[in-house]
Coordinates of all heavy atoms in Angstrom, one line a residue:
I216 N 13.1 -16.0 -0.1 CA 11.8 -15.7 -1.0 C 10.8 -16.8 -0.6 O 9.6 -16.5 -0.7 CB 12.2 -15.7 -2.5 CG1 11.1 -15.2 -3.3 CG2 12.6 -17.1 -3.0 CD1 11.4 -14.8 -4.7
E217 N 11.2 -18.0 -0.3 CA 10.2 -19.1 0.1 C 9.4 -18.6 1.3 O 8.1 -18.8 1.3 CB 10.9 -20.4 0.4 CG 11.5 -21.0 -0.9 CD 12.9 -20.4 -1.3 OE1 13.4 -19.7 -0.4 OE2 13.4 -20.7 -2.3
A218 N 10.0 -18.0 2.3 CA 9.3 -17.5 3.5 C 8.4 -16.4 3.1 O 7.3 -16.3 3.5 CB 10.3 -17.1 4.5
L219 N 8.8 -15.5 2.2 CA 8.0 -14.3 1.8 C 6.8 -14.9 1.0 O 5.6 -14.5 1.2 CB 8.8 -13.4 0.9 CG 8.0 -12.2 0.3 CD1 7.4 -11.4 1.4 CD2 8.9 -11.4 -0.6
E220 N 7.0 -15.9 0.1 CA 5.9 -16.4 -0.7 C 4.9 -17.1 0.2 O 3.7 -17.0 0.0 CB 6.4 -17.5 -1.7 CG 7.1 -16.8 -2.9 CD 6.2 -16.1 -3.8 OE1 5.1 -16.6 -4.1 OE2 6.6 -15.0 -4.2
E221 N 5.3 -17.7 1.3 CA 4.4 -18.4 2.3 C 3.6 -17.3 3.0 O 2.4 -17.5 3.3 CB 5.2 -19.2 3.3 CG 4.3 -20.1 4.1 CD 5.1 -21.0 5.0 OE1 6.1 -21.6 4.4 OE2 4.8 -21.1 6.2
A222 N 4.2 -16.1 3.2 CA 3.4 -15.1 4.0 C 2.5 -14.3 3.0 O 1.4 -13.9 3.5 CB 4.4 -14.1 4.6
L223 N 2.9 -14.2 1.8 CA 2.0 -13.5 0.8 C 1.5 -14.4 -0.2 O 1.7 -14.4 -1.4 CB 2.9 -12.4 0.1 CG 3.4 -11.3 1.0 CD1 4.2 -10.4 0.2 CD2 2.3 -10.6 1.7
L224 N 0.6 -15.4 0.3 CA 0.1 -16.4 -0.6 C -0.7 -15.8 -1.8 O -1.6 -14.9 -1.6 CB -0.8 -17.3 0.3 CG -0.1 -18.2 1.3 CD1 -1.2 -18.8 2.1 CD2 0.8 -19.2 0.6
P225 N -0.4 -16.2 -3.0 CA -1.1 -15.7 -4.2 C -2.6 -16.0 -4.1 O -3.4 -15.2 -4.7 CB -0.5 -16.5 -5.4 CG 0.8 -16.9 -4.8 CD 0.7 -17.1 -3.4
D226 N -3.1 -16.9 -3.3 CA -4.5 -17.2 -3.2 C -5.1 -16.1 -2.3 O -6.4 -15.9 -2.4 CB -4.8 -18.6 -2.6 CG -4.4 -19.7 -3.5 OD1 -4.3 -19.4 -4.7 OD2 -4.3 -20.8 -3.1
L227 N -4.4 -15.4 -1.5 CA -4.9 -14.5 -0.6 C -4.7 -13.0 -1.1 O -5.4 -12.1 -1.0 CB -4.3 -14.5 0.8 CG -4.7 -13.6 1.9 CD1 -6.3 -13.7 2.0 CD2 -4.1 -13.9 3.2
Y228 N -3.5 -12.8 -1.8 CA -3.1 -11.5 -2.3 C -3.0 -11.6 -3.8 O -2.1 -12.2 -4.3 CB -1.8 -11.1 -1.7 CG -1.8 -10.9 -0.2 CD1 -1.4 -12.0 0.7 CD2 -2.3 -9.7 0.4 CE1 -1.4 -11.9 2.0 CE2 -2.3 -9.7 1.8 CZ -1.9 -10.7 2.6 OH -2.0 -10.6 4.0
R229 N -3.9 -10.9 -4.5 CA -3.8 -10.8 -5.9 C -2.6 -9.9 -6.3 O -2.5 -8.8 -5.8 CB -5.1 -10.3 -6.5 CG -5.1 -10.3 -8.0 CD -6.4 -10.0 -8.6 NE -6.7 -8.6 -8.5 CZ -8.0 -8.1 -8.7 NH1 -9.0 -8.9 -9.0 NH2 -8.2 -6.8 -8.6
R230 N -1.7 -10.4 -7.1 CA -0.6 -9.6 -7.5 C -0.9 -9.0 -8.9 O -1.3 -9.6 -9.9 CB 0.6 -10.6 -7.7 CG 1.0 -11.2 -6.3 CD 1.9 -12.4 -6.6 NE 2.1 -13.1 -5.2 CZ 3.2 -13.6 -4.8 NH1 4.1 -13.7 -5.6 NH2 3.2 -14.2 -3.6
E231 N -0.7 -7.6 -8.9 CA -1.0 -6.9 -10.1 C 0.3 -6.1 -10.6 O 1.1 -5.7 -9.7 CB -2.0 -5.8 -9.9 CG -3.5 -6.6 -9.7 CD -4.6 -5.5 -9.7 OE1 -4.4 -4.3 -9.9 OE2 -5.7 -6.0 -9.5
H232 N 0.4 -5.9 -11.9 CA 1.4 -5.1 -12.4 C 1.1 -3.6 -12.2 O -0.1 -3.3 -12.1 CB 1.6 -5.4 -13.9 CG 2.0 -6.7 -14.3 ND1 3.3 -7.1 -14.1 CD2 1.4 -7.8 -14.8 CE1 3.5 -8.4 -14.4 NE2 2.4 -8.8 -14.8
L233 N 2.0 -2.8 -12.2 CA 1.8 -1.4 -12.0 C 1.5 -0.8 -13.3 O 2.3 -0.9 -14.3 CB 3.1 -0.7 -11.4 CG 3.4 -1.2 -10.0 CD1 4.8 -0.9 -9.5 CD2 2.4 -0.6 -8.9
P234 N 0.3 -0.1 -13.4 CA -0.1 0.5 -14.7 C 0.8 1.7 -15.0 O 1.2 2.4 -14.1 CB -1.5 1.0 -14.4 CG -1.9 0.3 -13.2 CD -0.7 0.0 -12.4
Y235 N 1.1 2.0 -16.3 CA 1.8 3.1 -16.7 C 1.2 4.4 -16.3 O 1.7 5.4 -16.0 CB 2.2 3.1 -18.1 CG 3.4 2.1 -18.4 CD1 3.1 0.8 -18.7 CD2 4.6 2.6 -18.5 CE1 4.2 -0.1 -19.0 CE2 5.7 1.8 -18.7 CZ 5.5 0.5 -18.9 OH 6.5 -0.4 -19.1
E236 N -0.2 4.4 -16.3 CA -0.9 5.5 -15.9 C -0.7 6.0 -14.4 O -0.6 7.1 -14.1 CB -2.5 5.4 -16.1 CG -2.9 5.2 -17.6 CD -2.7 3.8 -18.0 OE1 -2.2 2.9 -17.4 OE2 -3.2 3.5 -19.2
A237 N -0.5 4.9 -13.7 CA -0.2 5.1 -12.2 C 1.3 5.7 -12.1 O 1.5 6.5 -11.2 CB -0.3 3.8 -11.5
A238 N 2.2 5.2 -12.9 CA 3.5 5.8 -12.9 C 3.5 7.3 -13.2 O 4.2 8.1 -12.5 CB 4.4 5.1 -13.9
F239 N 2.7 7.7 -14.2 CA 2.5 9.2 -14.5 C 1.9 9.9 -13.3 O 2.5 10.9 -12.9 CB 1.6 9.3 -15.8 CG 1.5 10.7 -16.1 CD1 2.4 11.3 -17.0 CD2 0.4 11.5 -15.8 CE1 2.3 12.7 -17.4 CE2 0.3 12.8 -16.2 CZ 1.2 13.3 -17.0
L240 N 0.8 9.4 -12.7 CA 0.2 10.1 -11.7 C 1.2 10.1 -10.4 O 1.2 11.1 -9.7 CB -1.1 9.3 -11.3 CG -2.0 9.9 -10.2 CD1 -2.3 11.3 -10.4 CD2 -3.2 9.0 -9.9
A241 N 1.8 9.1 -10.2 CA 2.8 9.1 -9.0 C 3.9 10.1 -9.2 O 4.2 10.8 -8.3 CB 3.4 7.6 -8.9
G242 N 4.4 10.2 -10.4 CA 5.4 11.3 -10.7 C 4.8 12.6 -10.4 O 5.6 13.5 -9.9
K243 N 3.6 12.9 -10.9 CA 3.0 14.3 -10.7 C 2.8 14.4 -9.2 O 3.0 15.6 -8.7 CB 1.7 14.3 -11.5 CG 1.8 14.2 -12.9 CD 2.8 15.3 -13.5 CE 3.1 15.2 -14.9 NZ 4.2 15.8 -15.4
A244 N 2.3 13.5 -8.4 CA 2.1 13.6 -7.0 C 3.4 13.9 -6.3 O 3.5 14.7 -5.4 CB 1.4 12.5 -6.4
F245 N 4.4 13.2 -6.7 CA 5.7 13.3 -6.0 C 6.3 14.7 -6.3 O 6.9 15.3 -5.4 CB 6.7 12.2 -6.5 CG 8.0 12.2 -5.8 CD1 8.1 11.8 -4.4 CD2 9.2 12.6 -6.4 CE1 9.3 11.8 -3.8 CE2 10.4 12.6 -5.7 CZ 10.4 12.2 -4.5
R246 N 6.1 15.2 -7.5 CA 6.6 16.5 -7.9 C 5.8 17.6 -7.0 O 6.5 18.5 -6.5 CB 6.3 16.8 -9.4 CG 6.8 18.2 -9.8 CD 6.6 18.4 -11.3 NE 7.0 19.7 -11.7 CZ 6.6 20.2 -12.7 NH1 5.8 19.7 -13.6 NH2 6.9 21.5 -13.0
R247 N 4.6 17.4 -6.9 CA 3.8 18.4 -6.0 C 4.4 18.3 -4.5 O 4.5 19.3 -3.9 CB 2.3 18.1 -6.0 CG 1.5 18.5 -7.2 CD 0.1 18.3 -7.2 NE -0.5 18.5 -5.8 CZ -1.4 17.7 -5.3 NH1 -1.7 16.5 -5.8 NH2 -1.9 17.9 -4.1
Y248 N 4.7 17.2 -4.0 CA 5.1 16.9 -2.7 C 6.5 17.7 -2.6 O 6.8 18.3 -1.6 CB 5.3 15.4 -2.5 CG 6.2 15.1 -1.3 CD1 5.7 15.1 0.0 CD2 7.5 14.7 -1.5 CE1 6.4 14.7 1.1 CE2 8.3 14.3 -0.3 CZ 7.8 14.3 0.9 OH 8.5 14.0 2.0
R249 N 7.4 17.5 -3.5 CA 8.8 18.1 -3.5 C 8.6 19.6 -3.6 O 9.3 20.4 -2.9 CB 9.6 17.6 -4.7 CG 10.0 16.1 -4.5 CD 11.1 15.9 -3.4 NE 12.3 16.7 -3.8 CZ 12.9 17.5 -2.9 NH1 12.5 17.7 -1.7 NH2 14.0 18.2 -3.3
Q250 N 7.7 20.1 -4.5 CA 7.5 21.6 -4.6 C 6.9 22.2 -3.3 O 7.2 23.4 -3.1 CB 6.5 21.9 -5.8 CG 7.2 21.6 -7.1 CD 6.3 21.9 -8.3 OE1 5.1 21.6 -8.2 NE2 6.8 22.2 -9.5
A251 N 6.2 21.4 -2.5 CA 5.7 21.8 -1.3 C 6.7 21.8 -0.1 O 6.4 22.0 1.0 CB 4.4 21.1 -0.9
G252 N 7.9 21.4 -0.5 CA 9.0 21.2 0.5 C 9.2 19.9 1.1 O 10.0 19.7 2.0
G253 N 8.6 18.9 0.5 CA 8.8 17.5 1.0 C 10.2 17.1 0.9 O 10.9 17.4 -0.1
A254 N 10.7 16.2 1.8 CA 12.1 15.8 1.8 C 12.4 14.8 0.7 O 11.5 14.0 0.2 CB 12.3 15.0 3.1
R255 N 13.6 14.9 0.1 CA 14.0 14.0 -0.9 C 14.1 12.6 -0.4 O 14.0 11.7 -1.2 CB 15.4 14.4 -1.4 CG 15.5 15.4 -2.4 CD 16.9 15.5 -3.0 NE 17.0 16.8 -3.6 CZ 16.8 17.0 -4.8 NH1 16.4 16.0 -5.7 NH2 16.9 18.2 -5.4
S256 N 14.2 12.4 0.9 CA 14.3 11.1 1.4 C 13.0 10.3 1.4 O 12.9 9.1 1.6 CB 14.8 11.1 2.8 OG 13.9 11.8 3.7
S257 N 11.9 11.0 1.2 CA 10.6 10.4 1.1 C 10.5 9.4 -0.1 O 10.9 9.8 -1.3 CB 9.5 11.4 1.0 OG 8.2 10.7 0.9
P258 N 10.1 8.2 0.1 CA 10.2 7.3 -1.1 C 9.0 7.4 -2.0 O 7.9 7.6 -1.7 CB 10.0 5.9 -0.3 CG 9.3 6.2 0.9 CD 9.7 7.6 1.3
L259 N 9.4 7.5 -3.3 CA 8.5 7.5 -4.3 C 7.6 6.4 -4.4 O 6.4 6.5 -4.8 CB 9.2 7.6 -5.7 CG 8.5 7.7 -7.0 CD1 7.5 8.9 -7.0 CD2 9.3 7.8 -8.2
P260 N 8.0 5.1 -3.9 CA 7.0 4.0 -3.9 C 5.6 4.3 -3.2 O 4.6 3.8 -3.6 CB 7.7 2.9 -3.1 CG 9.2 3.2 -3.5 CD 9.2 4.7 -3.5
D261 N 5.7 5.1 -2.1 CA 4.4 5.4 -1.5 C 3.4 6.2 -2.5 O 2.2 5.9 -2.5 CB 4.6 6.4 -0.3 CG 5.3 5.6 0.9 OD1 5.4 4.4 0.8 OD2 5.7 6.4 1.8
F262 N 4.0 7.0 -3.3 CA 3.2 7.7 -4.3 C 2.7 6.7 -5.4 O 1.5 6.9 -5.8 CB 3.9 8.9 -5.0 CG 4.2 10.0 -3.9 CD1 5.4 10.1 -3.2 CD2 3.2 11.0 -3.7 CE1 5.6 11.1 -2.3 CE2 3.4 11.9 -2.7 CZ 4.7 12.1 -2.1
Y263 N 3.6 5.8 -5.7 CA 3.2 4.8 -6.7 C 2.1 3.9 -6.2 O 1.2 3.6 -7.0 CB 4.4 4.0 -7.1 CG 4.5 3.6 -8.5 CD1 5.8 3.4 -9.1 CD2 3.4 3.3 -9.3 CE1 5.9 3.1 -10.4 CE2 3.5 2.9 -10.6 CZ 4.7 2.8 -11.1 OH 4.8 2.3 -12.4
I264 N 2.1 3.5 -4.9 CA 1.1 2.7 -4.4 C -0.3 3.4 -4.4 O -1.3 2.9 -4.8 CB 1.5 2.2 -2.9 CG1 2.7 1.2 -3.1 CG2 0.3 1.5 -2.2 CD1 3.4 1.0 -1.7
G265 N -0.2 4.6 -4.0 CA -1.4 5.5 -4.0 C -2.0 5.7 -5.4 O -3.2 5.5 -5.7
A266 N -1.1 5.9 -6.3 CA -1.5 6.1 -7.7 C -2.0 4.8 -8.3 O -3.0 4.8 -9.1 CB -0.3 6.6 -8.5
H267 N -1.5 3.7 -8.0 CA -1.9 2.4 -8.4 C -3.5 2.3 -8.1 O -4.3 2.0 -8.9 CB -1.1 1.3 -7.9 CG -1.6 -0.1 -8.3 ND1 -0.9 -1.2 -7.8 CD2 -2.6 -0.6 -9.2 CE1 -1.6 -2.3 -8.3 NE2 -2.5 -1.9 -9.2
A268 N -3.7 2.5 -6.7 CA -5.1 2.4 -6.3 C -6.0 3.4 -6.9 O -7.1 3.1 -7.3 CB -5.0 2.5 -4.7
A269 N -5.5 4.6 -7.0 CA -6.4 5.6 -7.7 C -6.7 5.4 -9.1 O -7.8 5.5 -9.5 CB -5.6 7.0 -7.6
V270 N -5.7 5.0 -9.9 CA -6.0 4.6 -11.3 C -6.9 3.5 -11.5 O -7.7 3.4 -12.4 CB -4.6 4.4 -12.0 CG1 -4.8 3.8 -13.4 CG2 -3.9 5.8 -12.2
A271 N -6.7 2.5 -10.6 CA -7.5 1.2 -10.8 C -8.9 1.4 -10.1 O -9.8 0.5 -10.3 CB -6.8 0.1 -10.1
G272 N -9.1 2.5 -9.3 CA -10.4 2.6 -8.7 C -10.5 1.8 -7.4 O -11.6 1.4 -7.0
Y273 N -9.4 1.4 -6.8 CA -9.3 0.6 -5.6 C -9.3 1.5 -4.3 O -9.1 2.7 -4.4 CB -8.0 -0.3 -5.7 CG -7.9 -1.3 -6.8 CD1 -6.8 -1.9 -7.0 CD2 -9.1 -1.6 -7.5 CE1 -6.7 -2.9 -8.0 CE2 -8.9 -2.5 -8.6 CZ -7.7 -3.2 -8.8 OH -7.6 -4.1 -9.8
R274 N -9.4 0.8 -3.2 CA -9.2 1.4 -1.9 C -7.8 1.1 -1.5 O -7.1 0.2 -2.1 CB -10.2 0.9 -0.9 CG -11.6 1.2 -1.3 CD -12.6 0.6 -0.4 NE -12.7 -0.8 -0.6 CZ -13.2 -1.6 0.3 NH1 -13.7 -1.3 1.5 NH2 -13.2 -2.9 0.1
V275 N -7.3 1.7 -0.4 CA -6.0 1.5 0.2 C -6.2 1.2 1.7 O -6.9 1.9 2.4 CB -5.0 2.6 0.0 CG1 -3.7 2.4 0.8 CG2 -4.6 2.8 -1.4
L276 N -5.6 0.1 2.1 CA -5.5 -0.3 3.5 C -4.1 0.1 4.0 O -3.1 -0.4 3.6 CB -5.7 -1.8 3.8 CG -5.5 -2.3 5.2 CD1 -6.4 -1.6 6.2 CD2 -5.6 -3.8 5.2
T277 N -4.1 1.1 5.0 CA -2.7 1.7 5.5 C -2.9 2.2 6.9 O -4.0 2.4 7.3 CB -2.2 2.8 4.6 OG1 -0.9 3.2 5.0 CG2 -3.2 4.0 4.6
R278 N -1.9 2.2 7.6 CA -2.0 2.9 8.9 C -1.4 4.3 8.9 O -1.3 5.0 9.8 CB -1.3 2.0 9.9 CG 0.2 1.9 9.8 CD 0.8 1.3 11.1 NE 2.1 0.7 10.8 CZ 3.2 1.4 10.7 NH1 3.2 2.8 10.7 NH2 4.4 0.8 10.5
D279 N -1.0 4.7 7.7 CA -0.3 6.0 7.5 C -1.0 6.7 6.4 O -0.5 6.7 5.3 CB 1.2 5.9 7.3 CG 1.9 7.2 7.2 OD1 1.3 8.2 7.6 OD2 3.0 7.2 6.7
A280 N -2.2 7.3 6.6 CA -3.0 7.8 5.6 C -2.7 9.2 5.1 O -3.3 9.6 4.1 CB -4.5 7.7 6.0
T281 N -1.9 9.9 5.9 CA -1.8 11.4 5.5 C -1.3 11.7 4.1 O -2.0 12.5 3.4 CB -0.8 12.0 6.6 OG1 -1.2 11.7 7.9 CG2 -0.6 13.4 6.3
R282 N -0.3 11.0 3.7 CA 0.2 11.3 2.3 C -0.8 10.9 1.3 O -1.0 11.6 0.3 CB 1.5 10.6 2.1 CG 2.2 11.0 0.8 CD 3.6 10.5 0.6 NE 4.4 11.1 1.6 CZ 5.4 10.5 2.3 NH1 5.7 9.2 2.0 NH2 6.1 11.1 3.2
Y283 N -1.5 9.8 1.4 CA -2.5 9.4 0.5 C -3.6 10.4 0.4 O -4.2 10.7 -0.6 CB -3.1 8.0 0.9 CG -2.1 6.9 0.8 CD1 -1.7 6.2 1.9 CD2 -1.5 6.5 -0.5 CE1 -0.7 5.2 1.8 CE2 -0.6 5.5 -0.5 CZ -0.2 4.8 0.6 OH 0.7 3.8 0.5
R284 N -4.1 10.9 1.6 CA -5.2 11.9 1.7 C -4.8 13.2 1.0 O -5.6 13.8 0.4 CB -5.7 12.1 3.1 CG -6.4 10.9 3.6 CD -7.1 11.3 4.9 NE -7.9 10.1 5.3 CZ -7.7 9.5 6.4 NH1 -6.7 9.8 7.2 NH2 -8.5 8.4 6.7
T285 N -3.5 13.6 1.2 CA -3.1 14.8 0.6 C -2.9 14.8 -0.8 O -3.4 15.7 -1.5 CB -1.7 15.2 1.3 OG1 -1.8 15.3 2.8 CG2 -1.1 16.5 0.8
Y286 N -2.3 13.7 -1.4 CA -2.0 13.7 -2.8 C -3.0 12.9 -3.6 O -2.9 13.0 -4.9 CB -0.6 13.2 -3.0 CG 0.4 14.2 -2.4 CD1 0.9 14.1 -1.1 CD2 0.7 15.4 -3.1 CE1 1.7 15.0 -0.5 CE2 1.5 16.3 -2.5 CZ 2.1 16.2 -1.2 OH 2.8 17.1 -0.7
F287 N -3.8 12.1 -3.0 CA -4.9 11.4 -3.7 C -6.2 11.6 -3.0 O -6.8 10.6 -2.4 CB -4.5 9.9 -3.8 CG -3.2 9.7 -4.4 CD1 -2.0 9.4 -3.6 CD2 -3.0 9.7 -5.8 CE1 -0.8 9.3 -4.2 CE2 -1.7 9.6 -6.4 CZ -0.6 9.3 -5.5
P288 N -6.8 12.8 -3.0 CA -7.9 13.1 -2.1 C -9.2 12.3 -2.4 O -10.0 12.2 -1.5 CB -8.1 14.6 -2.4 CG -7.4 14.9 -3.6 CD -6.3 13.9 -3.7
R289 N -9.3 11.8 -3.6 CA -10.6 11.0 -3.9 C -10.4 9.6 -3.6 O -11.4 8.8 -3.7 CB -10.9 11.2 -5.3 CG -11.4 12.6 -5.6 CD -12.0 12.8 -7.0 NE -11.1 12.6 -8.1 CZ -10.4 13.6 -8.6 NH1 -10.6 14.8 -8.2 NH2 -9.5 13.3 -9.6
L290 N -9.3 9.1 -3.2 CA -9.0 7.7 -2.8 C -9.7 7.4 -1.5 O -9.5 8.1 -0.5 CB -7.4 7.6 -2.7 CG -6.9 6.2 -2.6 CD1 -7.2 5.4 -3.9 CD2 -5.4 6.2 -2.4
E291 N -10.3 6.3 -1.5 CA -11.0 5.7 -0.3 C -9.9 5.0 0.5 O -9.2 4.1 0.0 CB -12.1 4.8 -0.6 CG -12.9 4.3 0.6 CD -14.1 3.5 0.3 OE1 -14.6 3.5 -0.8 OE2 -14.4 2.7 1.3
I292 N -9.8 5.3 1.8 CA -8.7 4.9 2.6 C -9.3 4.1 3.8 O -10.1 4.6 4.5 CB -7.7 6.0 3.1 CG1 -7.1 6.7 1.8 CG2 -6.7 5.5 4.0 CD1 -6.5 7.9 2.1
I293 N -8.7 3.0 4.1 CA -9.0 2.3 5.4 C -7.8 2.5 6.2 O -6.7 2.0 5.9 CB -9.2 0.8 5.1 CG1 -10.3 0.6 4.0 CG2 -9.5 0.1 6.3 CD1 -10.4 -0.9 3.4
A294 N -8.0 3.2 7.3 CA -6.9 3.6 8.2 C -7.4 3.7 9.7 O -8.6 3.7 9.9 CB -6.3 4.9 7.8
P295 N -6.5 3.7 10.6 CA -6.9 3.7 12.1 C -7.8 4.9 12.4 O -8.7 4.8 13.2 CB -5.6 3.9 12.8 CG -4.6 3.3 11.9 CD -5.0 3.6 10.5
D296 N -7.6 6.0 11.7 CA -8.4 7.2 12.0 C -9.7 7.3 11.1 O -10.4 8.4 11.3 CB -7.6 8.4 11.8 CG -7.0 8.7 10.4 OD1 -7.2 7.8 9.7 OD2 -6.5 9.7 10.1

Side-chain angles (χ1 to χ4, degrees):
I216 193 168
E217 292 80 11
L219 178 59
E220 285 291 317
E221 190 173 312
L223 297 177
L224 294 170
D226 291 346
L227 182 57
Y228 298 96
R229 183 170 76 193
R230 298 165 188 212
E231 291 191 2
H232 294 287
L233 294 163
Y235 280 87
E236 294 85 355
F239 182 83
L240 182 58
K243 297 303 177 199
F245 187 70
R246 181 176 177 200
R247 283 185 37 230
Y248 167 80
R249 290 287 299 129
Q250 288 174 333
R255 275 190 199 269
S256 62
S257 177
L259 182 57
D261 290 347
F262 291 96
Y263 215 148
I264 290 165
H267 179 185
V270 165
Y273 297 166
R274 299 176 287 161
V275 171
L276 172 61
T277 185
R278 66 167 159 79
D279 185 16
T281 302
R282 188 169 294 143
Y283 294 115
R284 286 193 177 113
T285 301
Y286 294 96
F287 305 99
R289 291 190 293 268
L290 191 61
E291 186 179 337
I292 299 168
I293 303 164
D296 61 351

